[in-house]
Amino acid sequence: MSDAQKPFGNKLVISSLTDLAAATSVSELITARGGTAHARQADVSVAADMERFANWVRTEVGVPDVVVNNAGIAIVGPLLAHTEQDWQRIIGVNLLGVVRGCRLFGAQMAERGTGGHLVNIASAASFAPSASLGAYATTKAAVRMFSECLRAELASSGIGVTAICPGFTSTPIARSARYVGLSAGEEEQVRENSARALRRRRFPPEKVALAVMRAVLRDQPVVPVNAEARVTYALSRLAPGTLRALARLEAARSPLRSGKAGR
Protein backbone atom coordinates (compact mmCIF):
# COMPACT_ATOMS: atom_id res chain seq x y z
CA MET A 1 0.00 0.00 0.00
CA SER A 2 1.48 3.37 -1.04
CA ASP A 3 1.57 6.39 1.27
CA ALA A 4 -1.28 7.92 -0.75
CA GLN A 5 -3.41 4.85 -0.11
CA LYS A 6 -2.81 4.57 3.63
CA PRO A 7 -5.74 5.47 5.88
CA PHE A 8 -5.43 8.64 7.94
CA GLY A 9 -6.63 7.05 11.17
CA ASN A 10 -10.19 8.30 10.87
CA LYS A 11 -13.09 6.25 12.17
CA LEU A 12 -16.25 6.25 10.08
CA VAL A 13 -19.83 5.40 10.98
CA ILE A 14 -22.12 4.81 8.00
CA SER A 15 -25.85 4.81 8.73
CA SER A 16 -28.74 3.81 6.50
CA LEU A 17 -32.36 2.88 7.06
CA THR A 18 -33.28 1.17 3.79
CA ASP A 19 -29.93 -0.16 2.55
CA LEU A 20 -27.92 -1.49 5.47
CA ALA A 21 -26.32 -4.00 3.08
CA ALA A 22 -24.73 -1.16 1.09
CA ALA A 23 -23.55 0.56 4.26
CA THR A 24 -22.05 -2.71 5.45
CA SER A 25 -20.33 -3.25 2.11
CA VAL A 26 -18.71 0.19 2.25
CA SER A 27 -17.71 -0.40 5.87
CA GLU A 28 -16.06 -3.70 4.96
CA LEU A 29 -14.22 -2.08 2.04
CA ILE A 30 -12.80 0.61 4.33
CA THR A 31 -11.81 -1.97 6.92
CA ALA A 32 -10.10 -4.12 4.28
CA ARG A 33 -7.95 -1.14 3.31
CA GLY A 34 -6.78 -0.62 6.86
CA GLY A 35 -9.37 1.86 8.09
CA THR A 36 -12.00 1.62 10.81
CA ALA A 37 -15.67 1.77 9.89
CA HIS A 38 -19.01 0.74 11.33
CA ALA A 39 -22.40 0.25 9.65
CA ARG A 40 -25.58 0.98 11.60
CA GLN A 41 -29.28 1.19 10.84
CA ALA A 42 -31.20 4.28 11.95
CA ASP A 43 -34.38 6.09 10.96
CA VAL A 44 -33.76 9.85 10.97
CA SER A 45 -37.51 10.51 11.02
CA VAL A 46 -37.88 8.87 14.44
CA ALA A 47 -36.51 10.94 17.34
CA ALA A 48 -35.95 7.97 19.66
CA ASP A 49 -34.08 6.05 16.96
CA MET A 50 -31.75 8.98 16.32
CA GLU A 51 -31.14 9.44 20.04
CA ARG A 52 -30.17 5.77 20.35
CA PHE A 53 -27.88 6.09 17.33
CA ALA A 54 -26.18 9.25 18.62
CA ASN A 55 -25.64 7.67 22.05
CA TRP A 56 -24.16 4.56 20.42
CA VAL A 57 -21.73 6.67 18.38
CA ARG A 58 -20.58 8.60 21.45
CA THR A 59 -20.15 5.45 23.55
CA GLU A 60 -18.62 3.09 21.00
CA VAL A 61 -16.71 5.40 18.64
CA GLY A 62 -16.47 8.79 20.32
CA VAL A 63 -17.79 12.27 19.63
CA PRO A 64 -17.58 12.81 15.85
CA ASP A 65 -15.48 15.55 14.26
CA VAL A 66 -17.59 15.69 11.09
CA VAL A 67 -21.24 14.70 10.66
CA VAL A 68 -22.90 14.55 7.23
CA ASN A 69 -26.71 14.58 7.30
CA ASN A 70 -27.51 13.04 3.93
CA ALA A 71 -30.82 11.15 4.28
CA GLY A 72 -33.50 12.41 1.91
CA ILE A 73 -36.60 11.42 -0.04
CA ALA A 74 -38.52 13.01 -2.91
CA ILE A 75 -42.21 13.38 -3.60
CA VAL A 76 -42.95 14.52 -7.13
CA GLY A 77 -46.16 15.99 -8.47
CA PRO A 78 -48.81 18.67 -7.85
CA LEU A 79 -48.89 20.02 -4.31
CA LEU A 80 -52.69 19.71 -4.26
CA ALA A 81 -52.27 15.96 -4.78
CA HIS A 82 -50.01 15.57 -1.72
CA THR A 83 -51.62 13.99 1.30
CA GLU A 84 -51.10 14.93 4.94
CA GLN A 85 -49.01 11.76 5.28
CA ASP A 86 -46.83 12.81 2.32
CA TRP A 87 -46.03 16.09 4.05
CA GLN A 88 -45.35 14.46 7.40
CA ARG A 89 -43.02 11.93 5.79
CA ILE A 90 -40.96 14.34 3.71
CA ILE A 91 -40.64 16.88 6.53
CA GLY A 92 -39.77 14.09 8.97
CA VAL A 93 -36.90 12.85 6.81
CA ASN A 94 -35.63 15.85 4.84
CA LEU A 95 -35.96 18.55 7.48
CA LEU A 96 -36.41 17.06 10.94
CA GLY A 97 -33.88 14.32 10.18
CA VAL A 98 -31.28 17.03 9.55
CA VAL A 99 -32.39 18.96 12.65
CA ARG A 100 -32.05 15.84 14.81
CA GLY A 101 -28.60 15.01 13.45
CA CYS A 102 -27.38 18.55 14.07
CA ARG A 103 -29.01 18.87 17.49
CA LEU A 104 -27.74 15.57 18.85
CA PHE A 105 -24.24 15.56 17.41
CA GLY A 106 -23.85 19.33 17.65
CA ALA A 107 -24.55 19.08 21.37
CA GLN A 108 -21.85 16.40 21.69
CA MET A 109 -19.35 18.60 19.83
CA ALA A 110 -20.19 21.65 21.93
CA GLU A 111 -19.83 19.67 25.17
CA ARG A 112 -16.46 18.28 24.06
CA GLY A 113 -15.28 21.82 23.41
CA THR A 114 -12.84 21.21 20.54
CA GLY A 115 -15.05 22.16 17.59
CA GLY A 116 -16.29 20.08 14.69
CA HIS A 117 -18.30 20.40 11.50
CA LEU A 118 -21.91 19.66 10.56
CA VAL A 119 -22.68 19.13 6.87
CA ASN A 120 -26.28 19.19 5.68
CA ILE A 121 -27.16 17.98 2.18
CA ALA A 122 -29.70 20.42 0.77
CA SER A 123 -30.24 20.80 -2.98
CA ALA A 124 -30.11 23.21 -5.90
CA ALA A 125 -33.90 22.93 -5.60
CA SER A 126 -33.59 25.08 -2.47
CA PHE A 127 -32.78 28.09 -4.68
CA ALA A 128 -35.80 28.04 -6.98
CA PRO A 129 -39.56 27.37 -7.04
CA SER A 130 -40.70 24.21 -8.78
CA ALA A 131 -44.11 23.14 -10.04
CA SER A 132 -43.35 19.43 -9.64
CA LEU A 133 -40.98 19.37 -6.66
CA GLY A 134 -42.75 21.78 -4.35
CA ALA A 135 -42.56 19.72 -1.16
CA TYR A 136 -38.99 18.62 -1.86
CA ALA A 137 -37.84 22.16 -2.66
CA THR A 138 -39.59 23.50 0.44
CA THR A 139 -37.82 21.08 2.77
CA LYS A 140 -34.45 21.65 1.11
CA ALA A 141 -34.85 25.43 1.34
CA ALA A 142 -35.62 24.96 5.02
CA VAL A 143 -32.46 22.87 5.43
CA ARG A 144 -30.40 25.64 3.83
CA MET A 145 -31.85 28.34 6.11
CA PHE A 146 -31.57 26.10 9.17
CA SER A 147 -27.90 25.54 8.34
CA GLU A 148 -27.25 29.28 8.05
CA CYS A 149 -28.98 29.95 11.38
CA LEU A 150 -27.11 27.15 13.15
CA ARG A 151 -23.81 28.29 11.64
CA ALA A 152 -24.23 31.68 13.31
CA GLU A 153 -25.19 30.09 16.62
CA LEU A 154 -22.32 27.60 16.78
CA ALA A 155 -19.53 29.83 15.44
CA SER A 156 -18.38 30.76 18.93
CA SER A 157 -18.00 27.05 19.75
CA GLY A 158 -15.72 26.48 16.78
CA ILE A 159 -18.32 24.32 15.04
CA GLY A 160 -18.78 24.93 11.33
CA VAL A 161 -22.03 24.29 9.50
CA THR A 162 -22.31 23.86 5.74
CA ALA A 163 -25.29 23.42 3.42
CA ILE A 164 -24.30 21.42 0.32
CA CYS A 165 -26.62 22.09 -2.63
CA PRO A 166 -26.10 19.59 -5.48
CA GLY A 167 -27.85 19.82 -8.81
CA PHE A 168 -28.85 16.70 -10.75
CA THR A 169 -26.78 13.78 -9.43
CA SER A 170 -26.77 10.15 -10.51
CA THR A 171 -28.30 8.58 -7.40
CA PRO A 172 -31.29 6.24 -6.91
CA ILE A 173 -33.53 9.04 -5.54
CA ALA A 174 -35.64 9.30 -8.73
CA ARG A 175 -36.40 5.59 -8.73
CA SER A 176 -37.34 5.56 -5.05
CA ALA A 177 -39.38 8.79 -5.18
CA ARG A 178 -43.15 8.87 -4.67
CA TYR A 179 -45.05 10.29 -7.67
CA VAL A 180 -48.51 11.72 -6.98
CA GLY A 181 -51.41 12.80 -9.16
CA LEU A 182 -50.85 10.04 -11.73
CA SER A 183 -52.29 6.68 -12.64
CA ALA A 184 -50.12 3.64 -11.89
CA GLY A 185 -49.01 3.35 -15.51
CA GLU A 186 -48.20 7.05 -15.79
CA GLU A 187 -46.31 6.96 -12.51
CA GLU A 188 -44.05 4.17 -13.71
CA GLN A 189 -43.38 5.97 -16.99
CA VAL A 190 -42.43 9.21 -15.22
CA ARG A 191 -40.29 7.22 -12.78
CA GLU A 192 -38.36 5.60 -15.62
CA ASN A 193 -37.95 8.91 -17.46
CA SER A 194 -36.65 10.62 -14.32
CA ALA A 195 -34.20 7.83 -13.51
CA ARG A 196 -32.97 7.83 -17.12
CA ALA A 197 -32.44 11.59 -17.05
CA LEU A 198 -30.29 11.35 -13.92
CA ARG A 199 -28.21 8.59 -15.49
CA ARG A 200 -27.68 10.70 -18.60
CA ARG A 201 -26.49 13.62 -16.46
CA ARG A 202 -23.46 11.50 -15.54
CA PHE A 203 -22.65 13.48 -12.39
CA PRO A 204 -21.64 10.84 -9.81
CA PRO A 205 -22.17 11.21 -6.06
CA GLU A 206 -18.41 10.93 -5.59
CA LYS A 207 -18.12 14.50 -6.86
CA VAL A 208 -20.59 15.65 -4.23
CA ALA A 209 -18.48 13.83 -1.61
CA LEU A 210 -15.43 15.73 -2.85
CA ALA A 211 -17.36 19.00 -2.50
CA VAL A 212 -18.21 18.02 1.08
CA MET A 213 -14.55 17.45 1.90
CA ARG A 214 -13.54 20.78 0.44
CA ALA A 215 -16.36 22.58 2.23
CA VAL A 216 -15.25 21.21 5.60
CA LEU A 217 -11.61 22.14 4.99
CA ARG A 218 -12.57 25.66 3.85
CA ASP A 219 -15.45 26.08 6.32
CA GLN A 220 -17.84 27.19 3.57
CA PRO A 221 -21.43 28.16 4.47
CA VAL A 222 -23.33 27.26 1.26
CA VAL A 223 -21.91 25.23 -1.62
CA PRO A 224 -23.74 24.88 -4.96
CA VAL A 225 -22.39 21.72 -6.60
CA ASN A 226 -22.19 21.36 -10.40
CA ALA A 227 -23.13 23.76 -13.20
CA GLU A 228 -26.92 23.87 -12.88
CA ALA A 229 -26.68 24.43 -9.13
CA ARG A 230 -24.31 27.36 -9.58
CA VAL A 231 -26.47 28.90 -12.30
CA THR A 232 -29.64 28.50 -10.24
CA TYR A 233 -27.91 30.00 -7.19
CA ALA A 234 -26.77 33.00 -9.23
CA LEU A 235 -30.24 33.52 -10.73
CA SER A 236 -31.85 33.32 -7.28
CA ARG A 237 -29.73 36.28 -6.24
CA LEU A 238 -29.65 38.31 -9.45
CA ALA A 239 -32.86 37.46 -11.33
CA PRO A 240 -35.38 35.61 -9.13
CA GLY A 241 -38.20 36.60 -11.50
CA THR A 242 -36.58 34.43 -14.18
CA LEU A 243 -36.82 31.39 -11.91
CA ARG A 244 -40.48 32.12 -11.18
CA ALA A 245 -41.17 32.35 -14.92
CA LEU A 246 -39.40 29.04 -15.50
CA ALA A 247 -41.52 27.42 -12.76
CA ARG A 248 -44.71 28.63 -14.49
CA LEU A 249 -43.43 27.23 -17.77
CA GLU A 250 -42.68 23.93 -16.06
CA ALA A 251 -46.23 23.84 -14.68
CA ALA A 252 -47.72 24.43 -18.14
CA ARG A 253 -45.65 21.69 -19.76
CA SER A 254 -45.40 19.11 -17.00
CA PRO A 255 -46.93 15.68 -17.70
CA LEU A 256 -47.58 15.48 -13.98
CA ARG A 257 -50.31 18.07 -14.45
CA SER A 258 -51.51 17.45 -17.97
CA GLY A 259 -51.79 13.65 -17.85
CA LYS A 260 -49.29 13.25 -20.71
CA ALA A 261 -46.84 11.03 -18.86
CA GLY A 262 -47.24 8.12 -21.24
CA ARG A 263 -47.04 10.11 -24.46
Side-chain angles (χ1 to χ4, degrees):
M1 182 180 293
S2 70
D3 289 341
Q5 293 173 314
K6 289 179 181 178
F8 293 96
N10 294 329
K11 299 177 182 179
L12 281 78
V13 178
I14 306 161
S15 172
S16 175
L17 172 64
T18 59
D19 201 348
L20 183 60
T24 301
S25 177
V26 172
S27 175
E28 291 172 348
L29 178 62
I30 293 169
T31 301
R33 299 193 60 166
T36 301
H38 307 270
R40 302 291 293 181
Q41 192 166 36
D43 187 344
V44 300
S45 70
V46 177
D49 211 29
M50 280 297 288
E51 288 169 4
R52 283 192 294 269
F53 174 63
N55 288 334
W56 181 90
V57 172
R58 189 214 294 258
T59 302
E60 300 297 328
V61 183
V63 176
D65 296 305
V66 178
V67 172
V68 181
N69 293 298
N70 181 56
I73 61 173
I75 301 175
V76 187
L79 287 172
L80 297 184
H82 286 53
T83 66
E84 176 70 17
Q85 290 72 27
D86 288 333
W87 276 104
Q88 289 179 351
R89 179 61 177 159
I90 198 168
I91 290 173
V93 174
N94 290 10
L95 176 56
L96 294 181
V98 171
V99 171
R100 291 181 183 111
C102 287
R103 179 176 63 83
L104 295 167
F105 290 111
Q108 292 183 15
M109 292 175 182
E111 181 182 355
R112 179 182 60 184
T114 57
H117 208 101
L118 300 167
V119 178
N120 300 325
I121 306 301
S123 170
S126 71
F127 301 134
S130 170
S132 59
L133 287 170
Y136 179 81
T138 297
T139 56
K140 292 301 186 178
V143 166
R144 181 167 56 86
M145 179 54 71
F146 168 74
S147 301
E148 298 248 41
C149 293
L150 192 61
R151 181 180 176 86
E153 178 183 341
L154 297 181
S156 62
S157 299
I159 300 171
V161 183
T162 298
I164 300 288
C165 301
F168 298 115
T169 307
S170 301
T171 71
I173 191 169
R175 188 165 295 283
S176 61
R178 171 166 157 75
Y179 295 82
V180 299
L182 298 170
S183 68
E186 290 172 332
E187 179 180 358
E188 188 56 32
Q189 182 64 54
V190 171
R191 187 188 308 278
E192 288 298 325
N193 291 343
S194 299
R196 191 179 305 116
L198 286 185
R199 288 196 302 270
R200 285 200 301 263
R201 178 61 180 86
R202 296 183 182 277
F203 193 88
E206 288 83 358
K207 291 188 176 182
V208 180
L210 182 60
V212 169
M213 292 176 60
R214 289 172 175 165
V216 172
L217 292 173
R218 299 170 182 173
D219 191 20
Q220 295 172 282
V222 178
V223 180
V225 183
N226 72 20
E228 61 268 19
R230 289 189 289 272
V231 169
T232 305
Y233 180 55
L235 286 174
S236 72
R237 297 170 65 86
L238 301 175
T242 299
L243 295 178
R244 296 187 192 107
L246 289 173
R248 290 194 297 271
L249 182 63
E250 176 197 0
R253 294 183 173 181
S254 175
L256 295 171
R257 289 180 178 269
S258 63
K260 299 177 181 177
R263 297 182 188 179

